[in-house]
Structure formats: structure tokens, C-alpha cells
């Protein structure tokens, strides 16, 4: 295994020409692959936005009692 690695490493000394477009696309692909690898291998976080203090953005509590009653009936019926 080590000899194959040394042979491959020594073959990298050759000079080749690469178009700027190929070089740019290679750099973009490596960057995107690194970003995706980081996303998939990062530890999962249990992040929640909001305080969960019972306050909601529903119509209940803003003086519109009809919509509050409808919401309560729908909750009881479900």
C-alpha cells in the first residue's frame, strides 16, 4: 500500500496545463463538496426559535371573540 502511495505521489510532479475554467470549476466543486460534508457530518442541534410562553399570533385575545370560539370548538371536535 505504501509503495502505491509513493508511486502516485511521485507521479504528481509532472507539469500539465489546465484551463482557467477547469481550475475554477474544480475549486467550486471542492468548496461545495466541503460545505455539504460539513452540513451532513455536523452534530444535530435541537435549536428552537421562540420562548414558548403560551403567547401566539392567533386571533384569540385581540378582541375578536368569534374567532376564539371557533378555534376552541375546532380543537374540541378534533
Amino acid at each position: 500500500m505504501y509503495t502505491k502511495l509513493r508511486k502516485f505521489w511521485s507521479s504528481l510532479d509532472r507539469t500539465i496545463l489546465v484551463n482557467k475554467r477547469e481550475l475554477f470549476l474544480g475549486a467550486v466543486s471542492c468548496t461545495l463538496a466541503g460545505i455539504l460534508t460539513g452540513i451532513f457530518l455536523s452534530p444535530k442541534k435541537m435549536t428552537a426559535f421562540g420562548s414558548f410562553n403560551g403567547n401566539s399570533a392567533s386571533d384569540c385575545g385581540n378582541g375578536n371573540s368569534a374567532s376564539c370560539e371557533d378555534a376552541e370548538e375546532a380543537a374540541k371536535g378534533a
Side-chain angles (χ1 to χ4, degrees):
M1 178 68 184
Y2 185 69
T3 57
K4 289 182 182 180
L5 184 61
R6 283 185 73 92
K7 185 186 268 188
F8 171 71
W9 190 256
S10 65
S11 73
L12 295 177
D13 288 337
R14 287 184 275 159
T15 304
I16 59 171
L17 296 176
V18 178
N19 293 341
K20 287 184 179 181
R21 181 180 296 159
E22 292 173 354
L23 184 63
F24 175 74
L25 291 176
V28 168
S29 343
C30 288
T31 302
L32 291 177
I35 290 171
L36 287 176
T37 302
I39 288 172
F40 288 127
L41 295 181
S42 68
K44 303 298 180 221
K45 297 169 185 65
M46 299 300 293
T47 305
F49 295 98
S51 62
F52 299 108
N53 62 358
N55 193 6
S56 65
S58 67
D59 287 337
C60 294
N62 65 357
N64 190 356
S65 61
S67 64
C68 246
E69 292 168 0
D70 292 341
E72 290 172 0
E73 289 175 10
K76 289 179 184 176

